[in-house]
Amino acid sequence: MRNDLAPGPARLEEVIVETPTIKTFVLRPAEPLPFRAGQFVQLYLPGVGEAPFTPSSSPSEPERLEVTVLAAGRVTAALHELEPGAVIGVRGPFGRGYPLAKLAGHEVVVVGGGVGLAPLRSLLYTLFERPGLARRVSIKYGAREPHELCFQRQYASWAAQEAVDFTPTIDRPAAGWPGRVGLVTTLLDGLDVDVSEAYAVCCGPEIMLRFVARKLVDVGFRPERVYLSMNRNMTCGMGICGRCNVGSLYLCKDGPDLSYAEVRDIPYALG
Amino acid sequence: MRFLATAALAQLASSLAETHDVFLPRRDGERWMLGRWAPAGRGEVPWNPFRLPEPLKSIWFPPGQVVARWPREFAETPARPRALFGAKACDLKAVACLDRVLRDHDFREPAWCAARASTLIVAGDCTDCADSCFCTMLGDLPHPTDLFDLCLSPVEGGYLVEVGSERGARLVADHVGLFEAAPAGAVELRERARLELAQRVRRQNERFPVRDPFERSVAKHERTRIWAELAATCVECNACNLVCPTCHCFLLHDLPEGDGAVRCRLWDSCFSAGHARMAGGLTPRLQLTERFRNHYEHKFVTFPRNWGMTACSGCGRCIEACMGRIDKRECLHTLERRWIPSEIERELD
């Protein structure tokens, strides 16, 4: 019988420094790991521990996985120490992934906060590779400071895509920053989309998700069309270990991407 | 229905021990525990009148178990088949809960599946009850109705034997010399004893009258302050979860081993403050009252929604284990009885 708790090997090919605290790890699993955008994998550091991450690369390349990681805890700190050539473990994918079928034919607002843009990048690649899947992609991205904005080298090429716009913002004014200042919620006023029909896909800290979801509903989005990446601590990935439950939902297998309509009435679902 | 004399039961266990690891109740003075058949022992199968203090899940889902090694290796499966004596109805209901979670869906937990498939279960009627027993409050009965290979009911001089599976039938066929025809009237005696004990369990729980389904009683308090009151004496020791036969939360503990690494699965408890803590420090259910509510919500509301049955067997182990003297029956009774709209907490979101 297959053992879903046993990770398989993956070779670290490259480490890309994104920000002072965020790195992207380019991995080549021994066996291709097909995944859908939004599904997550468990990265395992032998003898150290394991943590869940949603790949930030395109699902069209299952043999080459990019995972973008903020150094935040014990496992992520150890990951950040790794050099190319290291062999680590990976298992998955787990979860349902983003609701691509529902997004088809609609305008999609993608809202990211900090390292929360990483899982969304996998969705963006999917949407860019399939022009016409979404009628329009509007990306709203916030970070605390300019140097904390992730994937800066790619913004110009994203915005150059047809029917795509990209707006970053930073929380506090900073010298030399020519762009918007304010929380990412401030980018959600006066959106140039038909809010009653559009979908939103959001990923970031829970506190951000809570306020972004409320804001989107305030400006006219339907709660069932606002998707939130609820990437909490998920250990097993199979709905067994009991760590990630929100009401009767297990984020690891029923999510991690759930609509606001599904979670808003569950006590403490959003922090 | 067959009859097995007391001495023949010991012979059956002894015979099984040649090919199986045999687990059976052991008694040390007033203390009962789960033990192993020892050839050098007294050579008897003690009759536990009701469930043992420890949950039987420990033989299939041990408190700590190696589930993977690095480089990749499949989890060990038990080398020998097992036989378990002394399981009661509540133990079997708990096994049914865990089967749903660990076996009967998209993901199959290899160690559980292998251990379950290779374990022969010789269950038995309860012939007495602990003060904390409350299976009847959940609509269950203190005698096994399902999930056993053989079920024993004590009668004069031995046991009435009900066969519950093909494996049980084979066991009887392989040891046909040990079994006798059931004595006249024994089945009627069994039914009368079962009825009397069920009535005793009901009577001892009459002080916790409930009418509504527990799902409704617990769900209606989703946002009330009653949990602070119910959890007032909880010291967060986690004992209720660790002795619970249906609890299955775990953590994966990774350790270096030689040139590789080993991955252990350890029982965990949702009562721990850090149970759901994330790397950034955010901890869902930081307050004890939220974790306390989560325990009840999982057992009586969300598990039924997800798996079609209550994740409580009424075994009362959590009541016995609680240092704060929190009685689940009292809590369920209070949850049903109390409904004060002004206690609804302000919505957080």
Side-chain angles (χ1 to χ4, degrees):
Chain A
M1 192 183 297
R2 197 181 67 204
N3 183 355
D4 292 304
L5 295 177
R11 192 183 144 82
L12 180 58
E13 291 203 325
E14 190 186 348
V15 178
I16 302 164
V17 177
E18 303 286 355
T19 78
T21 53
I22 300 172
K23 289 179 178 177
T24 293
F25 299 87
V26 183
L27 296 164
R28 193 165 290 274
E31 291 171 27
L33 201 150
F35 68 98
R36 295 190 299 274
Q39 284 191 300
F40 70 95
V41 298
Q42 294 280 4
L43 289 193
Y44 167 72
L45 270 70
V48 176
E50 194 180 54
F53 304 98
T54 306
S56 58
S57 54
S58 168
S60 65
E61 289 186 276
E63 70 288 346
R64 183 185 172 279
L65 217 59
E66 288 182 30
V67 182
T68 302
V69 178
L70 169 75
R74 197 172 52 84
V75 174
T76 51
L79 253 174
H80 271 240
E81 296 293 313
L82 292 182
E83 304 277 349
V87 176
I88 63 170
V90 61
R91 62 187 182 96
F94 300 107
R96 293 191 308 190
Y98 295 119
L100 275 184
K102 289 183 177 166
L103 305 186
H106 290 277
E107 294 179 303
V108 180
V109 178
V110 174
V111 187
V115 76
L117 189 60
L120 295 169
R121 192 174 71 162
S122 163
L123 173 68
L124 294 175
Y125 281 135
T126 306
L127 296 175
F128 297 161
E129 286 163 12
R130 295 160 71 180
L133 177 75
R135 269 182 39 218
R136 160 103 188 271
V137 181
S138 182
I139 308 161
K140 309 295 181 191
Y141 178 44
R144 279 176 303 192
E145 298 179 54
H147 67 263
E148 291 184 329
L149 290 162
C150 213
F151 311 129
Q152 294 192 33
R153 64 191 179 284
Q154 295 185 289
Y155 299 164
S157 70
W158 292 351
Q161 306 265 339
E162 198 170 332
V164 175
D165 62 83
F166 176 85
T167 315
T169 180
I170 57 166
D171 291 356
R172 290 180 291 269
W177 173 253
R180 297 278 297 257
V181 175
L183 298 173
V184 75
T185 43
T186 62
L187 301 182
L188 304 176
D189 279 312
L191 285 171
D192 182 25
V193 297
D194 177 359
V195 290
S196 65
E197 290 298 317
Y199 276 84
V201 184
C202 319
C203 187
E206 278 197 17
I207 186 82
M208 178 205 113
L209 292 181
R210 192 202 306 181
F211 286 99
V212 164
R214 279 155 68 159
K215 180 78 183 178
L216 287 167
V217 170
D218 282 349
V219 302
F221 277 77
R222 298 192 217 167
E224 61 275 19
R225 293 192 174 192
V226 173
Y227 276 82
L228 308 172
S229 283
M230 309 271 293
N231 291 292
R232 284 188 172 178
N233 183 356
M234 301 173 281
T235 295
C236 69
M238 311 167 200
I240 300 174
C241 77
R243 218 160 288 274
C244 69
N245 75 304
V246 170
S248 60
L249 301 169
Y250 283 84
L251 296 174
C252 68
K253 70 182 178 75
D254 301 316
D257 304 285
L258 293 164
S259 78
Y260 187 45
E262 288 173 285
V263 298
R264 68 174 169 180
D265 292 331
I266 300 174
Y268 316 109
L270 287 169
Chain B
M1 210 80 79
R2 305 294 185 90
F3 173 80
L4 191 62
T6 307
L9 175 63
Q11 280 178 270
L12 180 69
S14 172
S15 165
L16 277 169
E18 290 170 17
T19 48
H20 291 63
D21 282 342
V22 175
F23 294 84
L24 75 180
R26 280 271 170 240
R27 189 177 187 169
D28 177 10
E30 287 305 299
R31 286 182 60 223
W32 284 94
M33 66 202 82
L34 189 65
R36 286 187 181 232
W37 176 263
R42 277 178 295 177
E44 52 180 46
V45 180
W47 179 262
N48 53 321
F50 45 83
R51 53 48 183 185
L52 298 173
E54 67 189 279
L56 300 190
K57 68 180 179 187
S58 57
I59 74 164
W60 300 293
F61 189 79
Q65 183 178 25
V66 172
V67 291
R69 285 201 152 80
W70 178 268
R72 195 167 190 160
E73 184 181 299
F74 288 108
E76 290 104 300
T77 50
R80 297 181 88 204
R82 298 164 179 187
L84 170 67
F85 288 81
K88 302 298 186 184
C90 56
D91 294 317
L92 298 175
K93 181 184 181 185
V95 166
C97 284
L98 295 182
D99 277 347
R100 278 165 168 72
V101 177
L102 299 169
R103 191 188 69 184
D104 301 338
H105 67 124
D106 304 353
F107 291 99
R108 290 162 60 83
E109 214 287 310
W112 173 270
C113 294
R116 274 281 288 127
S118 70
T119 305
L120 190 112
I121 297 178
V122 182
D125 288 5
C126 288
T127 47
D128 194 1
C129 56
D131 293 341
S132 58
C133 286
F134 67 105
C135 59
T136 53
M137 283 177 74
L138 291 136
D140 300 318
L141 291 164
H143 60 263
T145 53
D146 196 10
L147 285 177
F148 54 80
D149 296 299
L150 297 183
C151 178
L152 308 180
S153 310
V155 289
E156 185 69 34
Y159 305 94
L160 206 54
V161 181
E162 183 180 338
V163 175
S165 69
E166 277 180 31
R167 183 162 55 186
R170 275 202 306 280
L171 182 68
V172 172
D174 291 347
H175 297 84
V176 72
L178 296 178
F179 292 86
E180 302 165 39
V187 176
E188 289 73 19
L189 283 174
R190 178 182 90 153
E191 297 313 310
R192 193 179 310 152
R194 285 179 162 187
L195 194 65
E196 279 172 10
L197 187 69
Q199 280 169 345
R200 261 186 63 202
V201 179
R202 280 191 199 102
R203 267 202 309 279
Q204 80 170 9
N205 290 302
E206 275 170 359
R207 60 208 158 111
F208 310 106
V210 288
R211 285 193 323 272
D212 291 351
F214 293 135
E215 182 170 353
R216 190 184 307 162
S217 310
V218 175
K220 77 180 179 189
H221 288 286
E222 198 175 53
R223 286 179 192 273
T224 72
R225 284 193 294 267
I226 198 167
W227 303 100
E229 189 182 311
L230 300 181
T233 58
C234 174
V235 294
E236 305 181 43
C237 70
N238 298 306
C240 54
N241 282 357
L242 297 178
V243 298
C244 177
T246 72
C247 273
H248 51 272
C249 280
F250 64 80
L251 65 84
L252 292 172
H253 186 45
D254 294 300
L255 293 165
E257 183 190 62
D259 293 336
V262 65
R263 158 156 272 209
C264 306
R265 182 186 56 202
L266 305 175
W267 284 358
D268 200 1
S269 163
C270 63
F271 263 101
S272 309
H275 182 67
R277 186 175 58 227
M278 292 178 255
L282 181 64
T283 302
R285 297 192 286 268
L286 185 61
Q287 302 300 319
L288 168 64
T289 50
E290 295 162 31
R291 299 195 297 276
F292 197 90
R293 186 182 65 81
N294 181 63
H295 173 96
Y296 281 75
E297 185 183 55
H298 181 255
K299 298 206 173 303
F300 298 104
V301 183
T302 62
F303 197 93
R305 255 178 227 168
N306 287 332
W307 304 107
M309 68 186 292
T310 307
C312 175
S313 66
C315 70
R317 289 183 178 95
C318 56
I319 301 169
E320 272 179 9
C322 184
M323 289 200 265
R325 301 200 174 172
I326 297 169
D327 190 317
K328 189 159 264 131
R329 301 168 294 188
E330 181 73 51
C331 290
L332 290 166
H333 172 60
T334 305
L335 287 165
E336 175 185 303
R337 193 177 37 127
R338 265 267 289 285
W339 178 246
I340 302 172
S342 63
E343 288 187 344
I344 297 174
E345 285 180 339
R346 189 178 58 83
E347 200 156 315
L348 285 171
D349 185 22

